[in-house]
Amino acid sequence: MKVLVIGSGAREHAIARALHRSPSEVALYAYVQSHHPGIISLATAYQVGDMICVPDIVAAAMRWQVDLAIIGPEAPLAQGLADALWQAAIPVIGPTKTLARIETSKAFARGLLQKYAIPGAVRFQTFHDMRGVEEFLQDLGKEGFVIKADGLMGGKGVKVAGDHLHSFTEAWHYCQQLYDEGHAFIIEEKLIGQEFSLMGFCDGHTLTPMPVVQDHKRAFVDDRGPNTGGMGSYTDANHSLPFLTAHDVAQAQKINELTIAALQQECGEKYIGILYGSFIATRHGVAVIEFNARFGDPEALNVLSILETDFVVICAAMIEGNLAITPVEFSSLATVCKYVVPEGYPDNSVKNSVIDVAAVQDKSHLYLAAVSEVAGKIQALGSRAAAVVGIASTLVEAEVLAEEEVRRIKGQVFHRADIGTAALIQRRIAQIQNLRAGV
Ligand code: AMP
Ligand code: GLY
């Protein structure tokens, strides 16, 4: 079976590894953005190109006569790559452009929840100009709003009152900036609680859940600093998180299922791919932060590292509509993922500095991200550079493994040492307990 993976981050490295581990005979083909040595070393053939250049990607897929394509990142989904591949009779894991609006337009996603009365909705308004901005900000209160650009911003278009915006004036200026840059934007109610992600495999009927993950969006220790693509993430051995109840997880799965049903009804198309629900457990229950139409990065690293079922079998079930009769198993192990990112990330990253991963002991859990191999050296291009995943029976042990390994990556990089630590998790549990107790 010839499988094409599109993308060259750590997520796609994890996807490529999951395919490579498969007992089915898989020949991997890769369409990558840079000379990613991890993915390229697993591939029968590869092509370096632009992720949004749909005709190039389709031409490569046809030349290689692949049987299946897996789209990693959101940018090609937004360009209609899935539509173009299906038209070329190539089955695809990844939704069509119309369905991918669940990620590519935050206004569409919020509107869908509202229209179909799906639980977990928040107060929001969409703006195409500055009319009504001031009134809605005042309405939500000085500490009570979040402003989001309505487009793909790599996790960096969101600013939160109290954290990034300290007055109505600053908020107004941010809206003005988005407007000047040509973005529509949404303003929504700010939620207080603990965030988590629940992803599912979807075949157009069934949505099979994966373990629940917590990502860390903020650049610096203690959740300070700008939002990033995600600095690291963890899963617990029971596939939930220490601060969630079984009811919270069930609620998130219900919201994902209702959203898929609403989305398919709204668009009149089947959703074949991954749905990623981003949630926040609040005092009043589970609410939706956003949806993504693909695996999360880093979340994919956590879950694919402990996937026991043959990933090729799951992909085939997604294409054939057989998920309902396909058991999907994950090991009962905890995982902690930590990224190294270039100094200055995300706003002023050092570019093209060399990183050295030779000292990492377990290379099978090292995932390379925005890097390129040049003359035998690994250059960090400016975005997240490499991640390690620690896997053990408890979170404490998994964190120690991940921290030891991440420190072995040398270069002009930094990481968040607090991700997955008992101290940080304890604080998260205490926050939820206080919220639920009304403190
Ligand atoms: P998004 O790109 O929508 O996932 O937002 C990026 C980050 O901004 C989230 O991971 C949250 O930390 C924060 N955020 C987004 N929406 C909200 C909200 N309504 N309330 C509180 N924080 C939010
Ligand atoms: N981890 C966040 C994302 O993949 O968008």
Side-chain angles (χ1 to χ4, degrees), residues 94-111:
T96 61
K97 181 176 178 170
T98 309
L99 292 162
R101 279 182 301 161
I102 195 67
E103 167 164 8
T104 58
S105 169
K106 290 178 191 282
F108 171 80
R110 284 281 181 226

Side-chain angles (χ1 to χ4, degrees), residues 218-225 416 418-419 424 427-428:
R218 301 305 171 86
F220 310 131
V221 165
D222 287 338
D223 295 321
R224 286 178 295 109
R416 272 187 62 169
D418 61 339
I419 291 170
L424 190 71
R427 279 214 298 285
R428 305 228 186 284

